[in-house]
Amino acid sequence: MSGTSSDTFLIDGADGSYEMVVGLEVHVELATATKLFSGSPNRFGDEPNTHIDPVTLGLPGALPVLNRHAVELAMRIGLALNCTVQPCTFHRKNYFYPDMPKAYQISQYDVPLNVDGWLDLPDGTRIGIERAHLEEDTGKSTHVGGSGGRIHGSASSLIDFNRAGVPLVEIVGRPDIRTPEQARQYVNELRAILVAIGASDAKMEEGSMRVDANVSVRRPGDELGTRCEIKNLNSVRSLGRAVEYEARRQVALVEAGERIRQETRHWDEGDGRTHTLRSKEDADDYRYFLEPDLVPLDPGDEWIETVRAGLPPLPAARRTALAETTGAPADGEAVMVVVDRDQDAYVLAVGEAGGDVARALVHVKEAYAEQGAEPTVPAADLAALTTMEVAGELTATQAKQVLAEIVANGGGDPAAIARDKGFEAMDTGALEVMVDEAIAAQPAAWEKFCNGEDKAVGALVGAVMKASQGQADGKAVTALLRARRG
Amino acid sequence: MSDDERIARETVAKVSRLARLALTDDEIDETTAQLAKMLDHFADIDALELADVEPMTQPYPLRNVFRDDVERAVLDRSEVLAQAPKAVDGRFEVPPILGLEES
């Protein structure tokens, strides 16, 4: 069938395989206080139609005025994605839809704010960014009287204009993605960047980050095939499933000698398929023209450099720094999770407090992965704990128990807690005796181990752990047994 | 240059459909002829040497007109909805949307 690693994903045909080609378009709502062209609040979750004004409703004579902070956030996005930020203009994109009362959306067309950048995935793949332009969001339609809020068969639609005019940046990626895993990584990395630079809260589940996927298939090295655009991708997981389903659907069509029609398709999470939404034939008839109510935007070098200088370290750089300090791989789970949760500075602080950063990294990662909690422990306490571990004064199991207690109390002296729990380090002499006893009690296991059956060590280590009532360090016991075997 | 060469009748029919203008056949003929005359007028510009002239996107010598990101008063919802043909639960009610996607 096909590979599942991030660097190859081929779909077999009867006569050779196909690769998928994916380009993602991501809309993000900017974290401004107000809308792009008016002073109504930009806030999610309020009562419908409470963030409305003459500009939002497209009332006659209302004029848009550009929100400076929205421009600055859009510039941050462009610069974080290695784009060129340039003088630009706004256009009207004309179409009739009730969630767009002016009958046009103000967007950018041939000269957008940000062009020609890239985003590097954690696996090292570079994905081109064609453009990242500013535009306004539409209102929200709810279809009633039909089944399940979908359009088909609804009796009427209800419109809430709170979202209309909210500033968006549309980030258009180049078709450089070749696997479902890369598509997922792209969205995760983009989200991490957007959050880090304060441009957006980038929540797919609240719609502040929306992803459309352009998918085509081809023989490796061939020209690009006909693409379909997939909508309704509400999670990173849906995205991965949808692009894989769509690529396989297209390969099946090609293999059957059929033509792929360029169209917009809708992902259905329930049945795990994409369905035709509309053909693409008339979709580009937006009759763009320059927005006469807005003047050109020219950020200028000074503003651009000020924004660039104000960017915080990006997630990739933070992962590299954490990886270098801890010795863990930069694209490993621990580093990814800890930077994603903004706890890398804490781990590094444990190091500055004299602790062991590698162990601190694992503890903080486990706090998320296994307990779902944020460590609110003073860095000095975790530093002291890791120092005890490194010195062999606590086993890994004991350290976890001590840490759990420190976390529960919001801090504490690990040495005192270890004493209270009766965790005393086994001295090597006592351990040697227990190892002798374990070998004597299980000569068969020892013989197997000596004959190269490494698995047999488990029974011996288990016996020592039991004899020590869990206080022995499993790794130390294994090392002792290996040394004995010679 | 004849009207047909300046702008095709089909183009006028298509654009009027996109703009939701219900033109009769006679009106399409009339509009095509009028638009062709206007385009003739604009075609005079073709005679000029403009390669070195920067396109003008605005007649005003302005750029970078901004407002600060500060909240301003909103309209009263009940007052606004009272002017809508139909409203339900604080929202505008419109006829069902057919053949287009949900946004």
Side-chain angles (χ1 to χ4, degrees):
Chain A
M1 277 305 282
S2 52
T4 50
S5 82
S6 70
D7 45 27
T8 54
F9 188 89
L10 295 172
I11 299 168
D12 289 344
D15 179 26
S17 52
Y18 298 80
E19 69 176 359
M20 65 162 69
V21 176
V22 177
L24 299 180
E25 290 174 16
V26 179
H27 286 84
V28 287
E29 289 181 352
L30 299 179
T32 54
T34 65
K35 295 187 176 183
L36 185 53
F37 298 117
S38 70
S40 286
N42 166 17
R43 205 161 48 229
F44 179 79
D46 286 355
E47 280 290 297
N49 291 309
T50 52
H51 305 163
I52 53 174
D53 58 71
V55 171
T56 298
L57 294 177
L59 298 184
L63 289 171
V65 187
L66 185 57
N67 181 336
R68 183 198 312 269
H69 190 52
V71 175
E72 179 150 335
L73 294 182
M75 287 164 66
R76 278 191 213 168
I77 292 174
L79 293 170
L81 297 176
N82 308 290
C83 290
T84 301
V85 181
Q86 61 178 13
C88 56
T89 52
F90 289 91
H91 273 70
R92 290 185 181 180
K93 177 180 180 177
N94 298 281
Y95 63 95
F96 289 94
Y97 205 76
D99 60 19
M100 187 55 94
K102 306 190 296 299
Y104 58 84
Q105 176 190 29
I106 303 178
S107 181
Q108 296 193 291
Y109 184 49
D110 52 346
V111 192
L113 178 64
N114 305 298
V115 292
D116 289 334
W118 72 82
L119 182 152
D120 287 332
L121 302 184
D123 77 359
T125 311
R126 176 161 292 184
I127 308 298
I129 304 290
E130 185 181 318
R131 56 191 281 158
H133 68 253
L134 263 171
E135 64 185 26
E136 57 179 338
D137 208 345
T138 63
K140 192 151 184 55
S141 316
T142 309
H143 308 290
V144 293
S147 55
R150 295 278 307 131
I151 287 181
H152 301 289
S154 63
S156 69
S157 298
L158 303 179
I159 317 288
D160 170 15
F161 287 113
N162 283 355
R163 199 180 67 181
V166 163
L168 290 180
V169 166
E170 179 177 350
I171 300 159
V172 182
R174 294 195 189 279
D176 295 340
I177 291 169
R178 295 288 176 274
T179 75
E181 173 58 19
Q182 286 178 350
R184 286 190 290 263
Q185 279 193 18
Y186 177 88
V187 170
N188 282 330
E189 188 69 5
L190 183 57
R191 182 169 54 194
I193 291 170
L194 293 168
V195 171
I197 65 177
S200 175
D201 61 8
K203 290 180 180 166
M204 283 183 89
E205 66 278 13
E206 286 185 5
S208 61
M209 179 169 183
R210 307 195 279 272
V211 180
D212 300 330
N214 286 297
V215 181
S216 62
V217 296
R218 66 176 176 187
R219 302 285 191 184
D222 275 7
E223 298 286 300
L224 290 175
T226 302
R227 69 194 156 111
C228 291
E229 181 176 4
I230 316 298
K231 289 189 174 286
N232 195 42
L233 303 170
N234 295 324
S235 67
V236 172
R237 184 170 170 271
S238 297
L239 167 66
R241 290 179 69 201
V243 297
E244 176 164 358
Y245 170 82
E246 178 61 17
R248 292 188 188 285
R249 184 189 73 86
Q250 292 182 14
V251 166
L253 281 176
V254 174
E255 288 281 300
E258 289 180 48
R259 196 173 62 90
I260 293 163
R261 285 189 311 150
Q262 185 173 353
E263 59 187 8
T264 302
R265 299 179 66 83
H266 181 274
W267 168 253
D268 186 327
E269 185 67 35
D271 69 8
R273 293 162 182 265
T274 62
H275 302 272
T276 300
L277 204 55
R278 57 185 152 84
S279 112
K280 201 77 181 172
E281 276 152 33
D282 275 337
D284 293 323
D285 265 324
Y286 291 125
R287 293 154 294 138
Y288 280 96
F289 64 86
L290 268 171
E291 167 56 88
D293 292 340
L294 290 167
V295 300
L297 166 61
D298 181 1
D301 291 344
E302 193 180 329
W303 193 11
I304 292 170
E305 292 315 314
T306 305
V307 172
R308 193 196 305 276
L311 285 180
L314 299 183
R318 287 165 51 189
R319 289 197 300 265
T320 304
L322 188 61
E324 279 172 4
T325 312
T326 58
D331 62 349
E333 192 197 350
V335 169
M336 296 288 290
V337 167
V338 167
V339 170
D340 189 51
R341 306 299 177 88
D342 256 346
Q343 292 295 316
D344 43 327
Y346 174 71
V347 170
L348 297 174
V350 171
E352 281 156 25
D356 181 84
V357 282
R359 281 167 203 265
L361 175 71
V362 172
H363 286 311
V364 174
K365 183 222 120 186
E366 283 175 353
Y368 290 120
E370 289 164 26
Q371 295 154 37
E374 190 169 318
T376 50
V377 175
D381 292 346
L382 185 54
L385 178 72
T386 59
T387 304
M388 290 178 71
E389 286 181 85
V390 173
E393 293 165 29
L394 287 174
T395 66
T397 314
Q398 290 169 340
K400 270 189 196 177
Q401 292 177 45
V402 172
L403 182 59
E405 183 145 340
I406 296 177
V407 168
N409 298 328
D413 174 11
I417 295 169
R419 265 198 307 280
D420 289 349
K421 288 187 175 295
F423 294 159
E424 281 165 33
M426 306 281 311
D427 72 49
T428 315
L431 210 52
E432 296 270 7
V433 173
M434 287 183 193
V435 168
D436 288 339
E437 287 169 358
I439 290 171
Q442 303 192 65
W446 174 244
E447 196 181 329
K448 281 186 191 168
F449 181 59
C450 288
N451 290 332
E453 268 188 58
D454 279 354
K455 272 190 206 161
V457 80
L460 299 165
V461 174
V464 174
M465 296 304 284
K466 197 174 170 191
S468 71
Q469 295 175 329
Q471 291 193 35
D473 181 346
K475 281 183 194 162
V477 176
T478 306
L480 266 180
L481 285 161
R482 283 186 193 285
R484 291 281 186 90
R485 182 171 68 174
Chain B
M1 200 174 270
S2 77
D3 295 354
D4 284 354
E5 288 168 61
R6 276 289 171 228
I7 185 165
R9 191 179 186 284
E10 296 77 61
T11 306
V12 176
K14 183 182 178 188
V15 172
S16 64
R17 183 171 58 77
L18 289 172
R20 305 292 190 273
L21 297 173
L23 299 187
T24 64
D25 282 355
D26 287 348
E27 286 169 329
I28 291 174
D29 288 338
E30 192 184 340
T31 307
T32 304
Q34 288 175 351
L35 284 172
K37 285 203 177 72
M38 289 182 213
L39 290 170
D40 270 341
H41 179 62
F42 280 104
D44 291 347
I45 298 172
D46 289 344
L48 304 173
E49 181 55 59
L50 297 172
D52 296 331
V53 179
E54 202 177 314
M56 183 177 70
T57 54
Q58 278 280 352
Y60 323 110
L62 288 173
R63 52 192 55 227
N64 295 343
V65 176
F66 298 121
R67 42 172 276 274
D68 289 332
D69 186 25
V70 175
E71 275 189 38
R72 297 185 57 176
V74 295
L75 291 172
D76 180 75
R77 178 171 78 176
S78 54
E79 202 177 319
V80 169
L81 290 178
Q83 298 174 56
K86 276 175 134 181
V88 175
D89 295 337
R91 290 176 289 185
F92 295 87
E93 183 176 4
V94 299
I97 303 151
L98 300 173
L100 288 166
E101 64 177 299
E102 189 168 358
S103 64

